[in-house]
Amino acid sequence: MTRRLEGKVAFITGAARGQGRSHAVRLAEEGADIIAVDLCGDLAEVPYPLGTAGDLAETVSQVETLGRRIVARQADVRDQPSLDAAVAEGVARLGRLDIVCANAGVNKPAPMLEMTEPTWLDIVDVDLSGVWRTCKAAIPYLLAGGSGGAIVLTSSAAGLKGYANIAHYTAAKHGVVGLMKTLAQELAPHRIRVNTVNPTQVDTPMIMNESMYKLFCPALDAPNREDFAPVSQAMNALPIPWVDARDVSNAVLFLASDEGRYITGVALPVDAGVLIK
Amino acid sequence: MTGRVEGKVAFITGAARGQGRSHAVRLAQEGADIIAVDHCGDIDTTNYPMATEADLAETVRLVEALDRRIVASHADVRDVGSLKTAVDAGVAELGRLDIVSANAGILSNGQSHELSEDTWGQMIDINLSGVWRTAKVAIPHLIAGGRGGSIVLTSSVAGLRSYNGVSHYVSAKHGVVGLMKTLAQELAQYSIRVNTVNPTQVDTAMIQNESMYRLFSPDIAEPTREDFGRASGATILLPIEWAESIDVSNAVLFLASDEARYITGVALPVDGGALLL
Ligand SMILES: NC(=O)c1ccc[n+]([C@@H]2O[C@H](COP(=O)([O-])OP(=O)(O)OC[C@H]3O[C@@H](n4cnc5c(N)ncnc54)[C@H](O)[C@@H]3O)[C@@H](O)[C@H]2O)c1
Ligand SMILES: NC(=O)c1ccc[n+]([C@@H]2O[C@H](COP(=O)([O-])OP(=O)(O)OC[C@H]3O[C@@H](n4cnc5c(N)ncnc54)[C@H](O)[C@@H]3O)[C@@H](O)[C@H]2O)c1
């Protein structure tokens, strides 16, 4: 049986850990080679540590263990030249580009009135403008390849409904859905498809940290993962507290593969029913 | 490599031909056994013939050629008794039920104020109430199995936007999206997921007929498949004339499989971006 992405190349941002690493591994399992980038450093406005160079090296090792090639580089989605350089080098080494996962993202909960301007600007810069820059870096290679392509932007359930205390994140993730629809229109003549995935809570360091536990369990002094679980589960319709990164990767794989060849302009929730609860 | 729905059993309505047959074959390729039903008789408010006995026999042959089991019988989605008999017998023989594809449907057309009571009534009875009846007879088996399950209702792009001249179809297909959301809420506690697929035009007998050709090309005296292709393609963003049944089947397979284990309450367009036009 041939694999579902045999011979394709995927560019993934935020690939050092969490969902980005999971996407790299899942796509590689199905035959894709990977161009992986990550900031590999912390952001002043973000109250939890981000991926590290060591994390990115672990992604490389997991992809190589599957017998696939990977070009991994440090790049910041706030910095267009760093993305351009990474994609250029990746395509030069791997020969083509077919799939883009604009996955890098950050969050910092704060009630609207306590949200500072630097916080707002940073979150929007990474979560919305960073997605646009990722596409801008990659689209010329998809066009040059002449064989279509699939772009999957990581939005969120917060891209389709409101959540208190993350106005910047909700605005940015809604913006990603809008960007996806316009890109789908612009790129359809070239058979390049553009969709979003919209996850509910995912079991990654973005939410498994103290600032999130406090946001979800304001009544507790030092809430932990176990305190967070029932509160998180109460938001989902299915009886689970959160989804795994691999569940989002399976949706990305479906959208990226030829099985999704006529799916474009779609926001696909992977949300345990959060939107219909 | 094991199939993506290995060892599961799927109940499919309207399985004699078109998308229903394609779903049966695709799910069987990935390891499922099939309970297939079709009315195998014409509907007097449509301008094209429904499937035949021989069509259903061909579906049986195709599934058996894949070394999967199939229990096929006559049932009319307007008659809950016939559906219950079919699904009960299928589960008795195949031992379980995991997946439901409520796919049977018809198409007719006319301006809203010119539709007869009968044309309106048949449409709602088959395309909406028939989906509810299909779910009603299947859900007790899914709950009894205690392993969760996946229900995929076939709606349409017409379930998410309107089209001139098919208000009964648009109403029924919108209704299917509403039904899906309520079912997703009711069944989440059993880990039973409910989603719709929402295809654009699909290359089946439902649309490849003179009456549809005329509807899409009112200015052409004797419109052909080629004329229809142009008119149909103009309603789709990607440079295609229509989708194929296999594209819808691949979406059904994804939603039915464990790769989508946390996707519920979602309307998934397979529409080449038609909703963005
Ligand atoms: N975890 C959740 O609950 C959840 C829910 C919905 C959506 N999302 C989204 O999923 C995506 C992935 O997040 P995750 O859950 O894997 O979290 P994560 O924090 O584990 O991973 C995010 C990765 O992005 C990298 N990154 C951050 N800023 C960057 C920048 N400026 N340039 C390059 N890389 C940068 C980080 O170093 C990290 O490796 C994000 O877009 C996030 O908003 C997450
Ligand atoms: N073809 C399209 O362009 C298109 C687009 C969007 C949605 N759909 C939907 O897809 C589904 C499948 O349609 P298709 O394209 O395969 O068309 P089709 O006409 O080839 O198949 C429909 C099947 O349903 C059966 N059926 C009709 N009435 C029935 C009844 N009362 N009880 C049991 N079976 C009955 C028919 O005999 C036939 O085998 C329908 O729900 C349709 O509305 C079709």
Side-chain angles (χ1 to χ4, degrees), chain A residues 234-254:
Chain A
M235 301 168 70
N236 294 332
L238 291 175
I240 54 160
W242 38 66
V243 306
D244 291 333
R246 186 153 179 108
D247 296 302
V248 184
S249 302
N250 282 327
V252 168
L253 166 63
F254 170 65

Side-chain angles (χ1 to χ4, degrees), chain B residues 13-14 17-20 38 43 46-51 55 102-109 123 126-127 154-158 166 169 173 199-216 225 228 242 245:
Chain B
T13 66
R17 72 173 186 203
Q19 295 175 57
D38 204 287
I43 307 281
T46 67
N47 289 325
Y48 61 97
M50 293 299 131
D55 289 329
N103 161 82
I106 60 167
L107 182 56
S108 53
N109 65 279
M123 178 62 73
I126 293 173
N127 285 21
T154 298
S155 176
S156 166
V157 170
V166 285
Y169 187 83
K173 292 296 188 184
T200 182
Q201 287 86 256
V202 184
D203 188 6
T204 70
M206 173 177 283
I207 61 165
Q208 297 296 358
N209 62 67
E210 212 183 277
S211 143
M212 272 302 119
Y213 293 177
R214 288 188 192 288
L215 184 70
F216 272 75
R225 183 180 164 100
F228 175 58
W242 39 63
S245 291

Side-chain angles (χ1 to χ4, degrees), chain B residues 111-175:
Chain B
Q111 292 292 298
S112 299
H113 63 285
E114 291 165 1
L115 290 173
S116 69
E117 179 76 27
D118 204 25
T119 301
W120 173 273
Q122 293 276 21
M123 178 62 73
I124 303 301
D125 204 20
I126 293 173
N127 285 21
L128 176 55
S129 306
V131 171
W132 167 71
R133 291 184 197 103
T134 301
K136 187 175 152 86
V137 301
I139 288 167
H141 292 290
L142 295 176
I143 293 177
R147 292 174 299 261
S150 173
I151 301 178
V152 184
L153 312 181
T154 298
S155 176
S156 166
V157 170
L160 299 170
R161 55 152 289 177
S162 63
Y163 289 98
N164 191 326
V166 285
S167 63
H168 54 342
Y169 187 83
V170 167
S171 301
K173 292 296 188 184
H174 272 70

Side-chain angles (χ1 to χ4, degrees), chain A residues 4 26 181 184-185 188 191 237 239-240 243-244 247 250-251 254 259 261-266 269 271-273 276-277, chain B residues 1 4 26 184-185 188 191 237-240 244 247 250-251 254 259 261-266 269 271-273 276:
Chain A
R4 289 155 73 186
R26 187 73 188 94
K181 290 182 182 173
Q185 288 176 318
R191 291 183 182 261
I240 54 160
V243 306
D244 291 333
D247 296 302
N250 282 327
F254 170 65
E259 290 197 359
R261 68 181 175 157
Y262 294 154
I263 301 182
T264 192
V266 169
D271 75 342
I276 50 97
K277 170 103 178 169
Chain B
M1 198 189 267
R4 288 154 68 188
R26 187 74 187 93
Q185 288 176 315
S191 297
L237 191 59
L238 289 175
I240 57 174
E244 305 293 336
D247 297 302
N250 281 328
F254 171 66
E259 289 198 358
R261 65 186 176 152
Y262 296 145
I263 300 184
T264 193
V266 170
D271 75 340
L276 296 185

